[in-house]
């Protein structure tokens, strides 16, 4: 076991896109970052090297979070490698288009699993090992306000994770704080069939936040010891419209 005196954060789906911005932000604050990835091994290794070259500390762990066992195993492996975990960022997710009229139940359940139940299991495993303090941030979506009929299963999954955020905040207080960030349109979807990000005019502030804006909000919530059960929208005010488009 590699003992370290540093604060340690596990970021799921941390190798690319918003997850990578979160890893960079945490590493810049002298936090040892565990970059979790599923398929993006070369990006995870490149990010690790980038962080180390900048004077930070990072390591990588591969896991497919398809089951409760694999979620528990990820927490256990990260803990074993670092000797502790102080922060967990539930960033990994899937974003697939479907509707009530055409959803396929297996795909809907897979999406709800990865976006909601897997973060819940990870949180429970993390919290059980953190009796003296820790923090979790869940990545939601501004879609938790309003009804998006074109991303039906995805919207359900993020609303479920919002609910898990509140109940876990209550359940695990005072030892572990649980908060969430709800991004607006940050990056175009990777999944086939996704629509491009809406124009900046769709947000009341007339701009769309960057991955770095999301990372700043995650860092803020991880490190504020008086905040739990909070959802911060980082979306240029898009959620205020209620309706999605
Ligand atoms: N992009 C946006 O504009 C936006 C807007 C609102 C909310 N969000 C939320 O913010 C978070 C990050 O967004 P993003 O667009 O950067 O995410 P993303 O690129 O769609 O996915 C993040 C990572 O999730 C991992 N992942 C997918 N399936 C997995 C599985 N079965 N097991 C383990 N890991 C798995 C992938 O890792 P590998 O690459 O290693 O396979 C992927 O890199 C997500 O929770 C998303 O819902 C994003």
């Amino acid at each position: 076991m590699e003992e370290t005196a540093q604060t340690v954060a596990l970021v799921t789906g941390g190798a690319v896109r918003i997850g990578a911005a979160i890893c960079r932000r945490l590493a810049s604050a002298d936090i040892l970052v565990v970059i979790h990835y599923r398929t993006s091994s070369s990006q995870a290794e490149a990010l690790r090297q980038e962080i180390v070259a900048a004077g930070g500390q990072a390591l990588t762990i591969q896991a497919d979070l398809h089951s409760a066992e694999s979620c528990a195993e990820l927490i256990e492996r990260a803990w074993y490698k670092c000797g502790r975990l102080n922060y967990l960022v539930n960033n990994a997710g899937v974003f697939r288009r479907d509707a009530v009229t055409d959803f396929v139940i297996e795909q809907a359940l897979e999406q709800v699993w990865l976006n909601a139940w897997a973060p819940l299991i990870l949180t429970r495993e993390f919290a059980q090992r953190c009796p003296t303090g820790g923090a979790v941030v869940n990545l939601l979506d501004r879609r938790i306000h309003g009804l998006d009929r074109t991303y039906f299963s995805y919207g359900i999954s993020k609303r479920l994770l919002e609910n898990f955020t509140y109940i876990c905040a209550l359940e695990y207080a005072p030892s572990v704080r649980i908060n969430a960030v709800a991004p607006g349109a940050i990056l175009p979807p990777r999944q086939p069939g996704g629509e491009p990000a809406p124009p900046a005019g769709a947000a009341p502030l007339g701009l769309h936040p960057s991955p770095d804006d999301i990372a700043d909000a995650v860092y803020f919530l991880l490190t504020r010891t008086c905040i739990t059960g909070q959802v911060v929208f980082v979306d240029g005010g898009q959620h205020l419209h209620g309706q999605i488009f």
Side-chain angles (χ1 to χ4, degrees):
M1 185 190 304
E2 303 161 25
E3 276 294 345
T4 169
Q6 271 190 304
T7 301
V8 183
L10 169 62
V11 181
T12 67
V16 295
R17 292 163 55 91
I18 293 174
I22 295 168
C23 289
R24 288 188 186 96
R25 178 68 184 88
L26 300 186
S28 74
D30 278 339
I31 294 168
L32 190 163
V33 181
V34 181
I35 307 165
H36 158 262
Y37 67 95
R38 182 187 53 159
T39 56
S40 299
S41 56
S42 56
Q43 293 94 328
E45 176 55 21
L47 179 60
R48 188 193 67 77
Q49 290 182 15
E50 177 194 321
I51 287 171
V52 170
Q57 288 196 54
L59 50 88
T60 63
I61 297 189
Q62 194 279 339
D64 189 329
L65 302 175
H66 64 283
S67 68
E69 292 71 28
S70 64
C71 292
E73 197 183 316
L74 173 61
I75 297 293
E76 190 181 331
R77 285 166 58 211
W79 198 281
Y80 182 77
K81 272 180 177 261
C82 303
R84 67 170 62 79
L85 279 181
N86 305 92
Y87 300 146
L88 167 66
V89 181
N90 284 313
N91 168 81
V94 280
F95 181 61
R96 291 199 200 104
R97 182 192 282 271
D98 65 5
V100 170
T101 50
D102 68 4
F103 78 89
V104 177
I105 187 61
E106 291 77 12
Q107 291 169 13
L109 290 176
E110 189 190 343
Q111 190 155 211
V112 174
W113 167 265
L114 188 70
N115 290 351
W117 288 102
L120 179 69
I121 302 283
L122 289 164
T123 298
R124 188 175 66 179
E125 296 294 326
F126 169 82
Q128 282 170 355
R129 290 167 180 264
C130 266
T132 57
V136 177
V137 171
N138 294 321
L139 270 291
L140 303 180
D141 191 295
R142 54 106 186 177
R143 284 174 170 79
I144 60 173
H145 270 209
L147 294 171
D148 186 350
R149 293 186 298 159
T150 57
Y151 284 91
F152 164 64
S153 302
Y154 174 81
I156 296 286
S157 73
K158 293 295 184 179
R159 281 172 183 250
L160 194 55
L161 185 56
E162 177 194 17
N163 211 284
F164 288 163
T165 301
Y166 300 137
I167 202 154
C168 286
L170 205 51
E171 188 67 41
Y172 292 115
S175 57
V176 180
R177 295 175 295 102
I178 322 277
N179 292 292
V181 172
I186 310 297
L187 295 171
R190 300 204 307 182
Q191 286 79 9
E195 91 267 55
L205 292 184
L207 56 82
H208 288 282
S210 69
D212 289 342
D213 292 316
I214 303 302
D216 282 343
V218 169
Y219 177 72
F220 174 83
L221 289 172
L222 285 175
T223 52
R224 292 313 105 157
T225 53
C226 57
I227 301 178
T228 196
Q230 190 65 251
V231 175
V232 174
F233 286 84
V234 184
D235 65 348
Q238 275 184 304
H239 69 285
L240 299 170
H241 287 313
Q243 210 50 34
I244 299 304
F245 293 114

